[in-house]
Amino acid sequence: MESPHADPQPRVLLTEARVRRSWSQQEVANRLGTTHVNVSRWERGLTKPNPYYRRKLCMLFGLTEEELGLFARAGSGSIPTRTESSPAQALQSPVPPPSPVTTAADSSAGRASDPAAPPNPVGIQPPAPTPMVPDVIYDPAIPLVPAVELVGRSDLLTALRRRLRTGGSVALTALNGLPGVGKTALSVTLAHDPELRSHFRDGILWAGLGPDPNVPGLLSRWGSMLGISASEMAALSSNEAWARAIRAAIGMRALLLVIDDAWTIEDALIFKVGGPRCAHLVTTRFGTIAVQIAGDGATNIHELTIEQGLELLTVLAPQAVAQDEEKARDLVQAVGGLPLAITLIGNYLRKQSYSGQTRRIRAALTRLSDAAERLYVSEPRGPSETHPSLPLEQQQISLQTVIAVTDQQLDAKVRTAFYALAVFPPKPNSFSEDAALAITNSDFDTIDTLADTGLLESSGEGRYTIHQTIADYVRVHLQDAAPHERLIQYAIQYVEENKKDYSYELLDRESSTILAALDSAYTHGKQAELVRLVNAYIPTMLRLGFYPLAEQHVKRMQEISREREDSGGNSSALLYLGQIAQKQGELAEAESFFKEGLELARQLDDKERISAFLTGLGETNWRRGDFTQAEIYLQEGLSIAQQLDNKERTSVILKNLGSVAANQGDFSKEEMYLKEGLQIARQIGDREQTCVLLMNLGAADSDRGNYVQAEKYFQEGLTLARQIGHREWISGLLSNLGNLFHAQGNYILAEKYFQEGLELARQIGHREWTSILLNNLGMTASKQEKYFHADAYLQESLTLARQIGIPQITGNVLNEYGDLCIQQKNFQKASTVYQEMLTIISEDMQDLMALANYGVARVALAGGNTQEALKFGEMSMRALETMEHRKTDEVKQWLSSVKKLKN
C-alpha cells in the first residue's frame, strides 16, 4: 500500500537519484516490481511509498530515506530537499566528470561495467538488459570543432559563455545574421568549449533544423540519448507529447541544448524542452525569430572587419596573401568580411598555392576578383559537416548554394523583388525605402519579407542596405532590364525635384543610388536619360568633390551629344569639363574648354550658356593672375545674367569680381561685391554660394585684422558647409579659420584646423586647397621653430603649386619658404626664393608684391646693404598700408629698427 502525502511537494532528491543514472520511470518500476505510474506519483509527491518500497528504493539507489527525501525531518512537516550531493551520496554514488563524446550505442551492453552504478540490491532482480545512456551526453550530431580558430570573435564568445552560464530555461540565447556569417561555427565552438562542458556537466544536445527539419527523427534521437524507453517513445504521437516526455527525462540535469538554423519559430519552440538547470542556444538567419524566441538574448552576428577578414585569409592562405596583400584585401572587401566567403576563397587559394608557383597564385587571385567566380567557389563537406540548410545529398558547399536555400523559399513575387535589388550598390551604401518600393515595383509587405529573411538589412529609419555577397548573387540571377529602367526614371525625377529646392541633404543621401542610375543609363543605352541625369546631377558631384566620376559621366554625355550632333548637349559638356578641370587646378585645360564652349554658345545665341562660359573664363583668368582680362569676362557675364534675371549666376559672378578687386588692392569694392552677392544668395536659398561668400568676407576682414568679425563669417560658413556636405568649402573654411588663429598666435588650434582641412582636400583630390593647407602647416611649424617639418610641408606645397600654375598660390608658398630660410639664416637661398617670387607674380598682385619686397629688404639687411633694405622696406610698407594689410605693423616695426641701426 502507498501512503498519501498530506501536503504534496515534488521529491526532487528522488528524481535526481533516478536522473543521475539516466533511468526512466519505467526502468525504476521494472527494478522494483511496480508500475511507472506509482514511480511518477512518488516523485511528484502525490503519494508516499510504503515501508516495503521505501526499503527497496534505498537499496536500489544506495541512499538513505532522508537522502531520497522519503521522510520528514523531526519537527518538520516538509519533505527535505537539497541541491548539492550529501556526503553519503558522494561516497556511494559518485558522478563521473565529463568524458569524451559518447553515445547510447557506446553503453548498450548495460550497466554491469559502469563504476557509477550501485551493486544490485539483494532481493531485487533486474529485468533483462536494456539499452542505457551515459551519465554525460555529448550528442554525436555536434559538428566537429572548426579546423581554424575563430578570428575576431573572442569578445563575442566571452559574452556568450557568460550568458549561457548565468541563464536557464527562461534565459534563451539566440544568434541571428546573414547566411555564412558564422552562427553555426560559433555554436560549435561553444559546444566544444571546456568551460561550458564543465558547467553543463550532464552534456550537450544538438538539433540541426534547416528549412525542412526532420522533427520526429531529431526528437527520437534526443529521447534515446535521454533514456526514454522504446515502448514509451512508441506511445508518443505528437510533438507536444514528445516535448513533455523529453522535458521530464531531462528533469534536473544540467544540459546545453543547441537548436541550430531555425527557420520557423514553431520548429525552434518544439526543442525548447530544457529544465531549470539547462540553457538554450538558438541560431537562425531570421532576426524576427531570434527576437521572438530570446527577447533581449538575441544577438545579431556581424561580419568581420576588413583587418579581421585579412587575418583569417592569412591563416588559411598565407602564401597568397604574401604574394599580393593589396589584392587579398580587395577580396575581403569584395565579400564584405563574410566568414564563409573568406573561408571558401582562402581554402581555394591555399590549394592553388601548394606548388609554390607564383603564376598559379596570381591567376587564382585574378579569378576570384570576378563576383560570379566567388559565388561558385565550392568545397566538399563530409557527413558530419553538412550544413543543416542544405539537402543531405548536397556534398558541395558554396556561397551560391547557401544563399540559394533562402531564395528557394521565397514566392515568385518576393523573388522578383529580391532580384531587382541587384541594381542597388551594396554595403556600405544604403538606399531609401521609397527607392526600394519604386525600383522593385513591390509593396511594404514584400520589403518586410525580404528584411525578415535577412536578405535586405535595415540601416536606419526608412533605409536599407544589401550585403556584398547577396548583391553578387542577385546580379548573377537578374535577367530583366525593367529594374534598371525604373532605377533611371526614379533617379531623374528625384534629382530634378530636389535640385530646384537646393535640397542638398536629400541629394547627398541618395548619391550612391543616383550614381548607379548613371551607370545603368550608360550600360543599357539610355542616351537621352543619361544626358538629362548628368545635366541635373553634375553640380552635386562637383559639390561633393566627385571630380573623376563627374568627368567620366560628362565625357559619356559629350560622346552621345556628338554622335547625335546635339550642339546644346556638347555645349553643356564643355561647360562641365571646364568646371571640373578648374576644380582640379588644370587651368590651361579649363580655359580651352570654356573658350570652345563660348564660341559654340555664341553660334547658338544661347545667352544662358554665354554667361556661364564668361563666368568660367573670368574665374580662370583671375586664378592665373590676369585680373584685367578676368574683369572683362566677368562684367560681360554679369550684364547678361542680370538681363536674364539669373540670380544664381549673378551671385557667383559678384563673388568672382570681389576676388579680382581684392587682388588689385581695392578692398572697398571687394566688400561691396561680396555683400551684394551674399544678399542674393540668401534670397534664393543658395547655401552653397552663401558658404563661399561668407568665406571670402571673412578672409577680407581677417586680412585687415578684424578677427572677431572674420571668425563670425567663417564659423557661419563652416556650419552651413557641413550641413550641405560641400567638402571643398569645408576644407577652405578650415584653412581660413586656421589662418585666423595663426595670426593671433594660437598655433596649436591653427594646426588642428589645417590638418583637418588637408585631410579633406586630399580625399577629394583638390590640389589647390591641398597646396594652400600644406603651405599653412609649414608656416605654423616655422613659427613653432619646427624647421624640419616646416621645410617638408613647404617643399610639398611648392611642388604642387608649380604643377597647378596659379601665381597667387605659388607666390604665397615662396613667400613662406623665403621667410623660413631667413629664420634659419640661409640668406642666399632666401634671396633666390624671393627673386623667383618676383618673376611669377604680376604688379597687379599688390599684396604678394609687397610681401616679396619685404623679403628682399630683409635679405639686403642681412647682407649689410642697409640702403637697399630701407628702399624695399618702404615700398612694402606703403603698399600694405594702402591695403590695410595685417602685416603693416610688423613691417613698420622692422623699418623702425633698421633706421635706428643706420643712425
Short mmCIF file of all heavy atoms in Angstrom, two decimals, residues 590-639:
data_model
loop_
_atom_site.label_atom_id
_atom_site.label_comp_id
_atom_site.label_asym_id
_atom_site.label_seq_id
_atom_site.Cartn_x
_atom_site.Cartn_y
_atom_site.Cartn_z
N ALA A 590 41.10 74.03 -68.55
CA ALA A 590 39.80 74.65 -68.26
C ALA A 590 39.53 75.79 -69.23
O ALA A 590 38.42 75.91 -69.78
CB ALA A 590 39.77 75.16 -66.82
N GLU A 591 40.53 76.63 -69.44
CA GLU A 591 40.35 77.76 -70.35
C GLU A 591 40.03 77.29 -71.76
O GLU A 591 39.20 77.87 -72.46
CB GLU A 591 41.60 78.64 -70.36
CG GLU A 591 41.42 79.91 -71.18
CD GLU A 591 42.59 80.86 -71.05
OE1 GLU A 591 43.72 80.40 -70.78
OE2 GLU A 591 42.39 82.07 -71.22
N SER A 592 40.68 76.21 -72.20
CA SER A 592 40.43 75.66 -73.54
C SER A 592 38.97 75.21 -73.68
O SER A 592 38.31 75.49 -74.68
CB SER A 592 41.38 74.49 -73.80
OG SER A 592 41.10 73.90 -75.03
N PHE A 593 38.47 74.48 -72.67
CA PHE A 593 37.07 74.02 -72.70
C PHE A 593 36.12 75.22 -72.72
O PHE A 593 35.14 75.24 -73.48
CB PHE A 593 36.77 73.15 -71.48
CG PHE A 593 37.33 71.75 -71.54
CD1 PHE A 593 38.07 71.24 -70.48
CD2 PHE A 593 37.12 70.95 -72.65
CE1 PHE A 593 38.59 69.95 -70.52
CE2 PHE A 593 37.64 69.65 -72.71
CZ PHE A 593 38.37 69.17 -71.64
N PHE A 594 36.38 76.22 -71.88
CA PHE A 594 35.49 77.38 -71.79
C PHE A 594 35.48 78.17 -73.10
O PHE A 594 34.42 78.63 -73.55
CB PHE A 594 35.91 78.29 -70.64
CG PHE A 594 35.61 77.72 -69.26
CD1 PHE A 594 36.50 77.92 -68.21
CD2 PHE A 594 34.44 77.02 -69.02
CE1 PHE A 594 36.23 77.42 -66.95
CE2 PHE A 594 34.16 76.51 -67.76
CZ PHE A 594 35.07 76.71 -66.72
N LYS A 595 36.63 78.34 -73.72
CA LYS A 595 36.68 79.10 -74.98
C LYS A 595 35.95 78.37 -76.09
O LYS A 595 35.22 78.98 -76.87
CB LYS A 595 38.14 79.36 -75.36
CG LYS A 595 38.78 80.49 -74.56
CD LYS A 595 40.19 80.80 -75.05
CE LYS A 595 40.75 82.03 -74.34
NZ LYS A 595 42.13 82.35 -74.79
N GLU A 596 36.15 77.05 -76.18
CA GLU A 596 35.44 76.27 -77.21
C GLU A 596 33.94 76.33 -76.97
O GLU A 596 33.14 76.49 -77.91
CB GLU A 596 35.92 74.81 -77.17
CG GLU A 596 35.29 73.95 -78.26
CD GLU A 596 35.73 72.50 -78.19
OE1 GLU A 596 36.66 72.17 -77.40
OE2 GLU A 596 35.13 71.66 -78.91
N GLY A 597 33.55 76.23 -75.71
CA GLY A 597 32.13 76.28 -75.37
C GLY A 597 31.53 77.64 -75.64
O GLY A 597 30.38 77.75 -76.10
N LEU A 598 32.30 78.73 -75.35
CA LEU A 598 31.80 80.08 -75.58
C LEU A 598 31.54 80.32 -77.07
O LEU A 598 30.51 80.91 -77.45
CB LEU A 598 32.80 81.10 -75.04
CG LEU A 598 32.42 82.58 -75.23
CD1 LEU A 598 31.10 82.89 -74.51
CD2 LEU A 598 33.54 83.50 -74.72
N GLU A 599 32.46 79.85 -77.90
CA GLU A 599 32.28 80.00 -79.35
C GLU A 599 31.03 79.28 -79.81
O GLU A 599 30.23 79.82 -80.60
CB GLU A 599 33.51 79.45 -80.07
CG GLU A 599 33.46 79.63 -81.58
CD GLU A 599 34.70 79.07 -82.28
OE1 GLU A 599 35.68 78.73 -81.58
OE2 GLU A 599 34.66 78.97 -83.53
N LEU A 600 30.80 78.08 -79.32
CA LEU A 600 29.62 77.31 -79.69
C LEU A 600 28.35 77.98 -79.17
O LEU A 600 27.33 78.06 -79.89
CB LEU A 600 29.75 75.89 -79.12
CG LEU A 600 28.69 74.87 -79.52
CD1 LEU A 600 28.62 74.72 -81.04
CD2 LEU A 600 29.00 73.51 -78.89
N ALA A 601 28.40 78.50 -77.96
CA ALA A 601 27.22 79.16 -77.38
C ALA A 601 26.87 80.42 -78.15
O ALA A 601 25.69 80.75 -78.34
CB ALA A 601 27.48 79.49 -75.91
N ARG A 602 27.90 81.16 -78.61
CA ARG A 602 27.62 82.38 -79.41
C ARG A 602 26.98 82.00 -80.74
O ARG A 602 26.09 82.71 -81.22
CB ARG A 602 28.91 83.17 -79.61
CG ARG A 602 29.45 83.83 -78.33
CD ARG A 602 30.51 84.86 -78.67
NE ARG A 602 31.26 85.34 -77.53
CZ ARG A 602 30.87 86.28 -76.68
NH1 ARG A 602 29.66 86.83 -76.82
NH2 ARG A 602 31.64 86.66 -75.67
N GLN A 603 27.44 80.89 -81.33
CA GLN A 603 26.85 80.43 -82.59
C GLN A 603 25.38 80.09 -82.39
O GLN A 603 24.53 80.34 -83.24
CB GLN A 603 27.59 79.19 -83.11
CG GLN A 603 29.01 79.46 -83.60
CD GLN A 603 29.74 78.18 -83.95
OE1 GLN A 603 29.16 77.10 -83.96
NE2 GLN A 603 31.04 78.30 -84.24
N LEU A 604 25.07 79.49 -81.24
CA LEU A 604 23.69 79.09 -80.95
C LEU A 604 22.88 80.25 -80.39
O LEU A 604 21.66 80.12 -80.20
CB LEU A 604 23.69 77.94 -79.92
CG LEU A 604 24.33 76.62 -80.37
CD1 LEU A 604 24.49 75.68 -79.16
CD2 LEU A 604 23.48 75.97 -81.45
N ASP A 605 23.56 81.38 -80.11
CA ASP A 605 22.93 82.55 -79.49
C ASP A 605 22.22 82.16 -78.19
O ASP A 605 21.11 82.61 -77.89
CB ASP A 605 21.93 83.21 -80.45
CG ASP A 605 21.55 84.62 -79.97
OD1 ASP A 605 22.38 85.24 -79.26
OD2 ASP A 605 20.42 85.06 -80.26
N ASP A 606 22.92 81.29 -77.42
CA ASP A 606 22.38 80.80 -76.15
C ASP A 606 22.91 81.72 -75.05
O ASP A 606 24.02 81.55 -74.54
CB ASP A 606 22.83 79.35 -75.92
CG ASP A 606 22.19 78.73 -74.69
OD1 ASP A 606 21.76 79.47 -73.79
OD2 ASP A 606 22.15 77.48 -74.63
N LYS A 607 22.11 82.72 -74.67
CA LYS A 607 22.54 83.72 -73.70
C LYS A 607 22.92 83.09 -72.35
O LYS A 607 23.89 83.50 -71.71
CB LYS A 607 21.43 84.75 -73.47
CG LYS A 607 21.02 85.52 -74.72
CD LYS A 607 22.13 86.46 -75.18
CE LYS A 607 21.65 87.33 -76.33
NZ LYS A 607 22.74 88.18 -76.87
N GLU A 608 22.12 82.14 -71.94
CA GLU A 608 22.39 81.47 -70.67
C GLU A 608 23.77 80.84 -70.66
O GLU A 608 24.55 80.99 -69.72
CB GLU A 608 21.30 80.41 -70.42
CG GLU A 608 21.38 79.73 -69.06
CD GLU A 608 21.04 80.66 -67.93
OE1 GLU A 608 20.02 81.37 -68.02
OE2 GLU A 608 21.81 80.68 -66.95
N ARG A 609 24.08 80.12 -71.75
CA ARG A 609 25.37 79.45 -71.84
C ARG A 609 26.50 80.46 -72.00
O ARG A 609 27.59 80.28 -71.45
CB ARG A 609 25.36 78.47 -73.01
CG ARG A 609 24.64 77.17 -72.71
CD ARG A 609 25.53 76.26 -71.86
NE ARG A 609 24.83 75.03 -71.54
CZ ARG A 609 24.26 74.77 -70.37
NH1 ARG A 609 24.26 75.68 -69.42
NH2 ARG A 609 23.65 73.63 -70.14
N ILE A 610 26.25 81.52 -72.76
CA ILE A 610 27.29 82.54 -72.96
C ILE A 610 27.71 83.11 -71.60
O ILE A 610 28.90 83.23 -71.29
CB ILE A 610 26.79 83.67 -73.89
CG1 ILE A 610 26.61 83.14 -75.31
CG2 ILE A 610 27.76 84.85 -73.89
CD1 ILE A 610 25.89 84.11 -76.25
N SER A 611 26.73 83.44 -70.77
CA SER A 611 27.02 83.98 -69.45
C SER A 611 27.81 82.98 -68.60
O SER A 611 28.75 83.35 -67.89
CB SER A 611 25.72 84.35 -68.74
OG SER A 611 25.96 84.82 -67.44
N ALA A 612 27.43 81.69 -68.71
CA ALA A 612 28.12 80.66 -67.92
C ALA A 612 29.58 80.52 -68.34
O ALA A 612 30.48 80.43 -67.49
CB ALA A 612 27.39 79.33 -68.09
N PHE A 613 29.84 80.52 -69.66
CA PHE A 613 31.22 80.38 -70.13
C PHE A 613 32.05 81.61 -69.79
O PHE A 613 33.24 81.50 -69.45
CB PHE A 613 31.24 80.12 -71.64
CG PHE A 613 30.88 78.70 -72.00
CD1 PHE A 613 29.73 78.42 -72.73
CD2 PHE A 613 31.69 77.64 -71.62
CE1 PHE A 613 29.38 77.12 -73.06
CE2 PHE A 613 31.35 76.33 -71.94
CZ PHE A 613 30.20 76.07 -72.66
N LEU A 614 31.44 82.79 -69.87
CA LEU A 614 32.16 84.00 -69.48
C LEU A 614 32.53 83.98 -67.99
O LEU A 614 33.62 84.42 -67.60
CB LEU A 614 31.30 85.23 -69.79
CG LEU A 614 31.14 85.59 -71.28
CD1 LEU A 614 30.02 86.60 -71.47
CD2 LEU A 614 32.45 86.12 -71.85
N THR A 615 31.63 83.43 -67.18
CA THR A 615 31.92 83.29 -65.75
C THR A 615 33.12 82.37 -65.54
O THR A 615 34.03 82.68 -64.75
CB THR A 615 30.69 82.73 -65.01
OG1 THR A 615 29.56 83.56 -65.26
CG2 THR A 615 30.95 82.63 -63.51
N GLY A 616 33.13 81.23 -66.24
CA GLY A 616 34.24 80.29 -66.12
C GLY A 616 35.56 80.89 -66.58
O GLY A 616 36.59 80.73 -65.92
N LEU A 617 35.53 81.62 -67.69
CA LEU A 617 36.75 82.26 -68.19
C LEU A 617 37.23 83.36 -67.25
O LEU A 617 38.45 83.53 -67.05
CB LEU A 617 36.49 82.83 -69.59
CG LEU A 617 36.47 81.80 -70.72
CD1 LEU A 617 35.86 82.40 -71.98
CD2 LEU A 617 37.88 81.30 -71.00
N GLY A 618 36.28 84.09 -66.67
CA GLY A 618 36.67 85.14 -65.72
C GLY A 618 37.37 84.56 -64.51
O GLY A 618 38.42 85.06 -64.07
N GLU A 619 36.82 83.48 -63.96
CA GLU A 619 37.45 82.86 -62.78
C GLU A 619 38.81 82.26 -63.13
O GLU A 619 39.76 82.38 -62.36
CB GLU A 619 36.52 81.79 -62.19
CG GLU A 619 37.08 81.20 -60.90
CD GLU A 619 36.07 80.34 -60.16
OE1 GLU A 619 34.87 80.37 -60.52
OE2 GLU A 619 36.50 79.64 -59.23
N THR A 620 38.91 81.63 -64.30
CA THR A 620 40.18 81.03 -64.71
C THR A 620 41.26 82.10 -64.87
O THR A 620 42.39 81.91 -64.40
CB THR A 620 40.00 80.26 -66.04
OG1 THR A 620 39.00 79.25 -65.86
CG2 THR A 620 41.29 79.61 -66.47
N ASN A 621 40.92 83.22 -65.49
CA ASN A 621 41.91 84.28 -65.67
C ASN A 621 42.28 84.93 -64.34
O ASN A 621 43.43 85.33 -64.13
CB ASN A 621 41.39 85.33 -66.67
CG ASN A 621 41.64 84.90 -68.10
OD1 ASN A 621 42.67 85.21 -68.70
ND2 ASN A 621 40.68 84.17 -68.67
N TRP A 622 41.30 85.03 -63.44
CA TRP A 622 41.63 85.54 -62.11
C TRP A 622 42.63 84.63 -61.42
O TRP A 622 43.62 85.11 -60.84
CB TRP A 622 40.36 85.67 -61.28
CG TRP A 622 40.64 85.73 -59.80
CD1 TRP A 622 41.30 86.72 -59.15
CD2 TRP A 622 40.33 84.74 -58.82
NE1 TRP A 622 41.40 86.42 -57.81
CE2 TRP A 622 40.82 85.20 -57.59
CE3 TRP A 622 39.67 83.50 -58.86
CZ2 TRP A 622 40.66 84.47 -56.40
CZ3 TRP A 622 39.50 82.79 -57.70
CH2 TRP A 622 40.01 83.27 -56.49
N ARG A 623 42.40 83.33 -61.50
CA ARG A 623 43.32 82.39 -60.85
C ARG A 623 44.71 82.44 -61.48
O ARG A 623 45.71 82.22 -60.80
CB ARG A 623 42.75 80.97 -60.93
CG ARG A 623 41.53 80.75 -60.07
CD ARG A 623 40.99 79.34 -60.20
NE ARG A 623 39.76 79.18 -59.44
CZ ARG A 623 39.70 78.92 -58.13
NH1 ARG A 623 40.82 78.82 -57.45
NH2 ARG A 623 38.56 78.80 -57.51
N ARG A 624 44.76 82.74 -62.76
CA ARG A 624 46.07 82.81 -63.43
C ARG A 624 46.75 84.15 -63.23
O ARG A 624 47.86 84.37 -63.69
CB ARG A 624 45.88 82.53 -64.93
CG ARG A 624 45.41 81.09 -65.21
CD ARG A 624 45.17 80.86 -66.68
NE ARG A 624 46.41 80.98 -67.44
CZ ARG A 624 46.50 80.83 -68.76
NH1 ARG A 624 45.41 80.56 -69.45
NH2 ARG A 624 47.66 80.94 -69.37
N GLY A 625 46.06 85.08 -62.59
CA GLY A 625 46.66 86.38 -62.28
C GLY A 625 46.41 87.45 -63.31
O GLY A 625 46.93 88.58 -63.17
N ASP A 626 45.63 87.19 -64.34
CA ASP A 626 45.32 88.20 -65.34
C ASP A 626 44.02 88.88 -64.93
O ASP A 626 42.93 88.60 -65.45
CB ASP A 626 45.18 87.54 -66.72
CG ASP A 626 45.10 88.56 -67.86
OD1 ASP A 626 44.87 89.75 -67.55
OD2 ASP A 626 45.27 88.17 -69.03
N PHE A 627 44.13 89.82 -64.02
CA PHE A 627 42.94 90.43 -63.42
C PHE A 627 42.18 91.33 -64.38
O PHE A 627 40.95 91.41 -64.32
CB PHE A 627 43.34 91.22 -62.17
CG PHE A 627 44.08 90.39 -61.16
CD1 PHE A 627 45.25 90.85 -60.58
CD2 PHE A 627 43.61 89.14 -60.79
CE1 PHE A 627 45.93 90.09 -59.64
CE2 PHE A 627 44.28 88.37 -59.86
CZ PHE A 627 45.45 88.83 -59.28
N THR A 628 42.90 91.97 -65.28
CA THR A 628 42.24 92.87 -66.24
C THR A 628 41.32 92.07 -67.16
O THR A 628 40.14 92.41 -67.35
CB THR A 628 43.29 93.62 -67.07
OG1 THR A 628 44.14 94.37 -66.19
CG2 THR A 628 42.61 94.57 -68.05
N GLN A 629 41.85 90.98 -67.74
CA GLN A 629 41.04 90.16 -68.62
C GLN A 629 39.92 89.47 -67.85
O GLN A 629 38.80 89.31 -68.35
CB GLN A 629 41.91 89.11 -69.33
CG GLN A 629 41.17 88.28 -70.38
CD GLN A 629 40.59 89.13 -71.48
OE1 GLN A 629 41.29 89.90 -72.14
NE2 GLN A 629 39.28 89.01 -71.70
N ALA A 630 40.23 89.05 -66.62
CA ALA A 630 39.20 88.41 -65.79
C ALA A 630 38.02 89.34 -65.59
O ALA A 630 36.85 88.92 -65.72
CB ALA A 630 39.80 88.03 -64.44
N GLU A 631 38.29 90.62 -65.31
CA GLU A 631 37.20 91.56 -65.07
C GLU A 631 36.38 91.80 -66.33
O GLU A 631 35.15 91.94 -66.27
CB GLU A 631 37.74 92.89 -64.53
CG GLU A 631 36.63 93.83 -64.09
CD GLU A 631 37.15 94.99 -63.24
OE1 GLU A 631 38.37 95.20 -63.19
OE2 GLU A 631 36.31 95.68 -62.64
N ILE A 632 37.04 91.80 -67.49
CA ILE A 632 36.31 91.99 -68.76
C ILE A 632 35.30 90.87 -68.96
O ILE A 632 34.12 91.09 -69.26
CB ILE A 632 37.29 92.06 -69.94
CG1 ILE A 632 38.13 93.34 -69.86
CG2 ILE A 632 36.56 91.97 -71.27
CD1 ILE A 632 39.28 93.39 -70.85
N TYR A 633 35.78 89.62 -68.79
CA TYR A 633 34.88 88.46 -68.93
C TYR A 633 33.74 88.53 -67.92
O TYR A 633 32.56 88.32 -68.26
CB TYR A 633 35.65 87.16 -68.72
CG TYR A 633 36.50 86.71 -69.88
CD1 TYR A 633 37.84 86.34 -69.68
CD2 TYR A 633 35.97 86.61 -71.16
CE1 TYR A 633 38.63 85.89 -70.73
CE2 TYR A 633 36.76 86.16 -72.23
CZ TYR A 633 38.09 85.82 -72.01
OH TYR A 633 38.86 85.38 -73.05
N LEU A 634 34.06 88.81 -66.69
CA LEU A 634 33.06 88.78 -65.62
C LEU A 634 32.02 89.88 -65.76
O LEU A 634 30.83 89.65 -65.52
CB LEU A 634 33.75 88.88 -64.26
CG LEU A 634 34.59 87.66 -63.85
CD1 LEU A 634 35.41 87.96 -62.60
CD2 LEU A 634 33.69 86.45 -63.60
N GLN A 635 32.44 91.08 -66.19
CA GLN A 635 31.47 92.17 -66.35
C GLN A 635 30.49 91.86 -67.47
O GLN A 635 29.29 92.13 -67.35
CB GLN A 635 32.21 93.49 -66.60
CG GLN A 635 32.94 94.06 -65.39
CD GLN A 635 32.01 94.52 -64.28
OE1 GLN A 635 30.78 94.48 -64.40
NE2 GLN A 635 32.60 94.94 -63.16
N GLU A 636 31.00 91.27 -68.57
CA GLU A 636 30.08 90.90 -69.67
C GLU A 636 29.12 89.80 -69.21
O GLU A 636 27.92 89.84 -69.49
CB GLU A 636 30.88 90.41 -70.89
CG GLU A 636 29.97 90.09 -72.08
CD GLU A 636 30.71 89.51 -73.28
OE1 GLU A 636 31.96 89.43 -73.26
OE2 GLU A 636 30.03 89.12 -74.26
N GLY A 637 29.65 88.83 -68.51
CA GLY A 637 28.80 87.74 -68.00
C GLY A 637 27.77 88.26 -67.02
O GLY A 637 26.61 87.80 -67.02
N LEU A 638 28.16 89.23 -66.17
CA LEU A 638 27.23 89.80 -65.19
C LEU A 638 26.09 90.53 -65.88
O LEU A 638 24.92 90.40 -65.49
CB LEU A 638 27.98 90.75 -64.26
CG LEU A 638 27.15 91.47 -63.20
CD1 LEU A 638 26.52 90.46 -62.23
CD2 LEU A 638 27.99 92.48 -62.44
N SER A 639 26.43 91.28 -66.92
CA SER A 639 25.40 92.03 -67.65
C SER A 639 24.34 91.10 -68.21
O SER A 639 23.14 91.35 -68.10
CB SER A 639 26.05 92.84 -68.77
OG SER A 639 25.07 93.51 -69.54
#
